[in-house]
Amino acid sequence: MKILFVGDVFGSAGRKIVREHLGHVRESHKVDLTVINGENAAGGFGITPGLAEELFDLGADVITTGNHVWDKRELIEYMKSVPADSHERPRRVLRPANLQHGLPGYGVYEGRLADGQTYAVINLMGRVFMNGTNDPFHAAGRILETVKAKVILLDFHAEATSEKVAMGWHLDGRVTAVLGTHTHIPTADERVLPGGTAYQTDVGMSGPYDSVIGVEKELVLNRFLTGMSGKFEAATANPKMCAALISCDPLTGKAHRIQRIMLGE
Ligand code: FE2
């Protein structure tokens, strides 16, 4: 079984490069399950229901998010428009599972592919240098007690490499893949851990790389040089789609292989 995970889609440049590459990558690698982190799809800040629909139209089965999940408030109504046991598109947009209790949306989705294969996608957010999250390690453990699928992918949206590496070891042998998002820079440490969990500290942004993690570089540089705050705008130049391709045994959920993908124009 092949799983494609596409890193944080950033702004119009990110959407454009994903539109350009997703179809042929899914086809040439015979991808069964496609998961996209879309939390920066709307100009770098959040995702609207319309943009979520766009990513589903391109082939996403599940969309994950992170710290920018609530930036576009209309997403809240979209998430609330379906019940927990729904398989409709709004139910397949996840927010981190370890946010404060009672918030809209869900952090786990269990689904079934057309061929009957079951899978689960979990979205968690880190605590190091990030706010508003509960312990992701214990949250992962509690979630795994309830998940029935063998094929399980975790999008761990976190800032610190140490926290992500630790999560990889924490879940080795218990999930198919632990993939990091949020830093927008792909790391060259993809591997299958001894227990059969595919791991990469950060899959990297799908967006404009002539930027500072997606934002127009002059605006960020100006903030570093002067200390003055200013409005950030999404950059557009040099877009790349970053993704991880995972092969796994559908019966056990163990990963055989993980491959890093970076495709430009
Ligand atoms: Fe993020």
Side-chain angles (χ1 to χ4, degrees):
M1 177 182 181
K2 298 270 188 70
I3 306 169
L4 183 72
F5 180 84
V6 178
D8 318 34
V9 177
F10 197 102
S12 59
R15 284 164 9 232
K16 181 166 164 273
I17 200 75
V18 168
R19 207 179 304 129
E20 194 172 320
H21 291 301
L22 191 64
H24 74 81
V25 170
R26 289 178 70 229
E27 210 166 294
S28 60
H29 292 286
K30 298 187 167 56
V31 169
D32 301 289
L33 172 65
T34 303
V35 180
I36 300 181
N37 183 303
E39 78 141 6
N40 305 113
F45 301 94
I47 180 167
T48 62
L51 294 179
E53 293 285 327
E54 199 178 303
L55 295 179
F56 283 127
D57 287 344
L58 290 176
D61 294 294
V62 179
I63 296 171
T64 54
T65 59
N67 54 308
H68 286 291
V69 61
W70 310 125
D71 287 5
K72 296 289 178 273
R73 308 301 283 188
E74 53 269 47
L75 193 72
I76 296 173
E77 285 312 310
Y78 184 71
M79 283 178 164
K80 285 161 81 175
S81 68
V82 291
D85 60 355
S86 169
H87 296 280
E88 298 294 310
R89 286 176 164 188
R91 181 61 185 81
R92 289 186 271 128
V93 178
L94 301 181
R95 48 87 164 164
N98 57 327
L99 300 180
Q100 302 302 326
H101 289 294
L103 294 186
Y106 305 93
V108 185
Y109 175 74
E110 283 205 71
R112 189 182 291 272
L113 298 172
D115 64 1
Q117 174 66 44
T118 56
Y119 67 90
V121 179
I122 303 169
N123 199 179
L124 287 168
M125 200 164 111
R127 272 198 305 190
V128 180
F129 309 128
M130 298 186 110
N131 299 317
T133 46
N134 296 310
D135 176 357
F137 293 89
H138 286 96
R142 282 193 299 273
I143 290 166
L144 289 177
E145 283 173 18
T146 68
V147 167
K148 292 180 200 72
K150 295 284 185 200
V151 173
I152 305 168
L153 182 142
L154 168 64
D155 173 350
F156 190 32
H157 198 77
E159 184 78 45
T161 51
S162 59
E163 196 177 18
K164 292 167 161 173
V165 171
M167 184 64 85
W169 290 117
H170 182 55
L171 298 183
D172 183 26
R174 300 159 75 189
V175 303
T176 307
V178 172
L179 300 172
T181 57
H182 178 68
T183 70
H184 292 189
I185 302 296
T187 56
D189 63 340
E190 76 279 9
R191 62 184 283 198
V192 177
L193 297 173
T197 295
Y199 175 82
Q200 188 181 358
T201 297
D202 206 291
V203 174
M205 164 182 74
S206 295
Y209 274 76
D210 285 359
S211 70
V212 177
I213 63 169
V215 173
E216 278 295 355
K217 53 188 182 296
E218 289 75 15
L219 303 176
V220 180
L221 264 173
N222 190 56
R223 186 180 287 193
F224 278 117
L225 290 169
T226 66
M228 292 169 75
S229 62
K231 198 171 182 293
F232 278 171
E233 272 170 42
T236 54
N238 191 20
K240 295 188 189 301
M241 183 178 99
C242 279
L245 180 68
I246 294 126
S247 310
C248 71
D249 181 333
L251 297 177
T252 63
K254 302 276 185 206
H256 310 302
R257 186 164 184 256
I258 174 168
Q259 184 189 341
R260 202 160 21 107
I261 293 174
M262 185 191 242
L263 295 168
E265 283 179 309

